[in-house]
Structures are given as C-alpha cells and as structure tokens.
Amino acid sequence: MGALQDFHRRSIHERDAFWTEQSKLIHWNKPFAQVLDYSRPPFARWFVGGETNLCHNAIDRHLEARAGQKALVWISTEVDKTVEYTYGQLHAEVQRTAAMMQSLGVGRGDRVIIYMPMIPEAAFAMLACARIGAIHSVVFGGFAAASLAARIDDARPKLMITADGGSRMGKAVLYKSLVDESIKLAKFPPGKVLIFKRGLDARMPVVAGRDVDWAELAPKHLGAQVPCAWLESNEPSYILYTSGTTGRPKGVQRDVGGHAVSLAASMKYIYCGNAGETMFTTSDIGWVVGHSYIIYAPLIAGMTTIMYEGVPIRPDAGVWWKIVQDYKVSVMFSAPTAIRVLKKHDPAYLKKYDVSSLRHLFLAGEPLDEPTHVWIQTELGRPVIDHYWQTESGWPILSAMPGVEKTHVKFGSPSFPCYGYDLKLLREADASDAGPDEKAVVVVVPPLPPGNLATVWGDDERFVKTYFNTFSKKLVYATFDWGIRDKDGYYFILGRTDDVINVAGHRLGTREIEEAVNMHSNIAECAVVGVADALKGQMPLAFAVAKDPSRLGTPEGRKAFEKEIMDTVDKQLGAIGRPKAVHFVTLLPKTRSGKTLRRAIQALAEGRDPGDLTTIEDPGALQQLKSALAGG
Ligand code: AMP
C-alpha cells in the first residue's frame, strides 16, 4: 500500500503542490493566485483568485475532441423512451435553456430552484445555471409542499423550474400543483415558474403572469449563444438542502473551482472513468450523488452519462444490467438498498446480460452489509467497492482508490481515507485518538479539502456550530458517524453518532446489530432501533424482511425464526445486542432515496408521533409496522 499511503501523505503535508497538480485537470480562464486561504478557520477558500466555470468544463471544453460523442443518454422505463444527446447537442440545449432563464430575469448570483423529475431538461437547467453563474438548488421530487416552501424561503429564488409531473411505477406524480401549493405557503416566492409539460397532468392549473410554458419560450431561443460567466473559484455554484434532524433545512453551499477540481480528481483516482467511456449512476438529481456523479463529474471527465428515470425492477430486475450491456458502462454507482431490492429477485437476471465492460460497481449512501456485498460481487462477477461520503463532502471521504493503487477490498469496509482528508477517530469522552479496533467518532481535521461544503447558505455561524462544535478542545469537522480502524488501516462505519442506543450503560450502534441480524441467511434486510426500556434504559428492536416468507405463515414458524435471529445476534455480537423482539414486515419505511426512516420507526415503536414523513417512499410500510407492533 506504499503508493496509496504516499499519495495521501502528500495531499496533507505537501498540500499546495498536491492540489496545484490536481487543479490542472480542469480549465481555468484565469489562474489562481493562492491554492488555499485558511486565514479564517474553519472556512477554507480554495484556488483563490482563479476563474473558471463548471459548465465550460463539463461541455465546452470537450467540443473540439468529442462534439459528436454521446454526452447524456436519458432512459425512461416510466414513459418508455430513450433520448441521446451528443456533446454538441447538449451544448446547444444548455445555451438555449440559459437564454430562456436570462429572458426571465435570472443572472449571476440569483437562485433558481429546480423541482423536476429525472428528465433531460432538469440537467439542462442545472448546467445552464452553472453557465451563467446562477445558483441552483435542486429539490428532490419527493418533498412535500411545506418542505419545499421552507427551501424557497431559505434560498429566495428568482425562478423555479418544474414539470407538470413525473412518473413512478407507471403512476403520475404531480409536480406543478405541489409547486403551486408550496408557493402559497412561502414568504419569499419566485416571480416566475418555468414549466416543462410532459402531458402527465391534463388539468394542470396555470397562474397568469407567473407561469411560463417551456414549449412556448424555447422556440424563441433556438440557436442562442450564451457565453460562460467566468466565476471566481469561491463563488457559490449550488445549494443543496440536507435532510437535517431539525425542522429548518440546512443549505449545503458548494463553490465552483474546488468543486470542479475535486470531481475531476475523483474520476481519475477513485472511479477510474475515462473520456469516451460511459458512467451509470442510479441516483436522482435531487441528491448529492446525482449532482456529482450523474451530472458534473462524468461530463467533466468527457464521459457519456446515463440518466435513468424508473425503478430497478421494472420492467424486470434485469433492466439496469441490460443498460450496462447496451451502453458498455464502465463505471456504475448505486446504493446498497437498490442491491438489496435486487437480491429479492431471481439472480438469473444478473447472468442474462454481458456486464464485462464494468470495471467497478461503487456503492454508497448507507452501510453496505457484508452478505449484500458478497452477494452482489459474486453474482455480478465484477469488483464492488463500498465507499463512504456525505452531502457535505460532495465526493468520497473513504474509498478504495484503484486509480492510485489497487488494494484488497474487505467486505463491510469502505477502505481508506481519500486524499485531502486528514481523517481521525477521536474518543468521544476526551477527543483523544482512538487505537486500532476502538470505536470512536469519525472527524476531519480542517481545512476540509476542495469540493466540501464552503458554509451553510446564509448562515456561517450555523456552519461552525453544527459541524465544528463536537469537541470543545479540538476544532474538527464532525461527520456524526461512528467508525473503527482495524490494524490494517481499514475503516468501518458503524452508524450515526446520533443513532446511538444505550443498553444497560453499553453504547451500541444500531448498524452493528443490523449487521448481525443480516448474517441470518434468510434475511433480506432489517432495521434496528433503540426503544425505551424501564430496566435497561434502551433495548434494540428489530424489523426484518425475510427473503423466503413461507415460514411466517404460522405463529410457531414466526417464533422459531425470531429465535434463530436472536441466536445469530448472540453469536455475532453478543447477548447485549439481542433485540427485544423481531417483527416481520415485507418492506421497511424508507425515504425515496433509500434511507431507512429509523427515527420514525423508533417513534412508532415507542408510541410517539413519527413526525415529518413527507419523504417516505411507501406509506404502506408504516401501516405494516403499526400492525406488527400491535401484534398483527
Ligand atoms: P447523505 O448526506 O444523505 O448522503 O448521508 C450521509 C450519511 O450516510 C453518512 O454520514 C453515513 O451515515 C451514511 N453513509 C454514506 N455512505 C456510507 C457507507 N458507505 N457506509 C456507511 N454509511 C454510509
């Protein structure tokens, strides 16, 4: 591991030289005067004085060499349509969208909220904002009106861009009517709403003077030429709201130069995606993974990016592997939940298609349990890399880095700290360094590397208070995750520090218990929460989805299965982690991005109000949970 260690060491100890080298991966209109300004800790300003543009680096820069190459391929299994755009065509579409936005009064520094389904126009809108220096804030389509209104009031957009509707599992989801509702609730509504009509809402209401039809405006700007605005490296490029634990949304603010450099470098060292190849990221543009690895990074790298509207199991569970085969995808990025969904289907779908073009499958967003990792790697026959990052970081914090050095992957581990991250594991009690295999808080010693959040939009104080206040003695960025490092230097993420449960004075991560439950061969997935217990303070409670539910038909079968799971936990983790009970359900309540709604589960289990459930994927999951808890 010499090369990797040396690479990481240089990134920290020869920081300026290291990042100057990486900065050459993108185009600068004007060179920067200073690599890093860290005169006001913990605020880091990268590539100070340099001028660049994300859209130029994603599109214009490639025109000479690859105008005819596919840049964006949109595949919708919802409306059964595929549309391909070359770099030349994408250039034209983005310029036209930029001109349309300008005609609606949008300029440099203005905010634009994009509330759209996974359609190419959403990508055009993001890139058009980047082109003219407007700040986009993409809001995931699953958010309800009140959540959208809160984001409107925080970002105060000049323009909102939406569609009449999206489609999910063949059912129309109405976007525009929800935008109308959110605007009614907002204190600082936008002056204009631009709507792309897909014919999914025949009765869509129109507000005269405010609503603008994309189809009417677009022809007026055919062939528009809109130059890129050269932005100082530290100007904001976008705001992305995180699903924080408080009611008030927290806008992660990204810069321009650091963002572009970090993404370009990640394509080289982590994802190993080369110009001319294809990347398929199965996320949604409403999440950070979608921003970074559907839109910006693959295009900055000169790749073809696949934008997929649909679910992984429609028309059947082979649809993603068919895309890999058809487009010779070399880099794929997905989430453990999606893989667990596929795991419940016939593995023959994985063998049906030729996936030999795939160099790696990357997974992130939540813990990747060992059985799922083993299953997908075996069935796919390609290397599967677990890597760890957050909305705040914008690119990986922990990962294998095959572009630097090929290292052995340990199941359950997202491998090593990425270059630029001075990562530490600190003991919660006194902020001292933890030893090997000792559970501690994962922190980053600032300055945060390029591409990480620059601040919280409009609230510098909140940035410092939220992220840098965990330890009074040390100024460090808290990831709010527990982790351990084994004797070989591999990290393991054990779950959020804020999901910790305390059983009879012993602190346990719910993730640790889930891992143990998952070791039972008949478990597809599970969620463990801590519930109040009069004797022990808290007790873990498990909700499990069986791969084969045939044993659950009788009370005896259930009891026997529950006992086996408890024995498995005893064996894997020790009796301390044994769940009080195991409830069987056929699905877990999750956000549409695949995060298990543990807090809601916990609240229901404790007989409390589950709170804000606007992001839930399937409300039926809650009903199941309730009847399981009621003994049904
Ligand atoms: P988000 O900002 O919504 O992407 O969530 C970030 C959080 O997801 C992290 O703080 C972790 O708790 C979790 N997470 C992301 N990737 C991983 C991973 N590979 N392993 C374990 N947890 C992960």
Side-chain angles (χ1 to χ4, degrees), residues 537-554:
Q538 272 186 311
M539 278 287 281
L541 187 64
F543 295 86
V545 180
K547 272 191 223 159
D548 170 9
S550 58
R551 292 174 65 196
L552 298 173
T554 62

Side-chain angles (χ1 to χ4, degrees), residues 49 79 92 132 137 168-169 188 217 262 264 272 293-294 299 307 333 345 380 461 496 501 513 576 582 590 612 628:
V79 295
I132 63 174
S137 182
R168 202 169 160 80
M169 302 284 276
F188 303 99
L217 190 58
S262 67
C272 301
Y293 295 106
I294 296 174
L299 295 176
M307 187 176 190
F333 186 159
H345 289 75
L380 200 60
E461 198 187 322
R496 298 283 296 190
I501 62 172
I513 306 170
I576 179 76
V582 182
K590 292 192 180 189
D612 178 21

Side-chain angles (χ1 to χ4, degrees), residues 242-243 288 363-368 386-392 414 479-481 493 495-496 511 595:
T242 56
S243 46
V288 68
L363 299 174
E366 53 178 315
L368 174 61
D386 176 19
H387 65 328
Y388 157 84
W389 51 295
Q390 308 179 307
T391 303
E392 287 83 352
T479 61
F480 299 103
D481 281 303
I493 297 293
R496 298 283 296 190
R511 141 96 162 138
K595 294 243 186 316

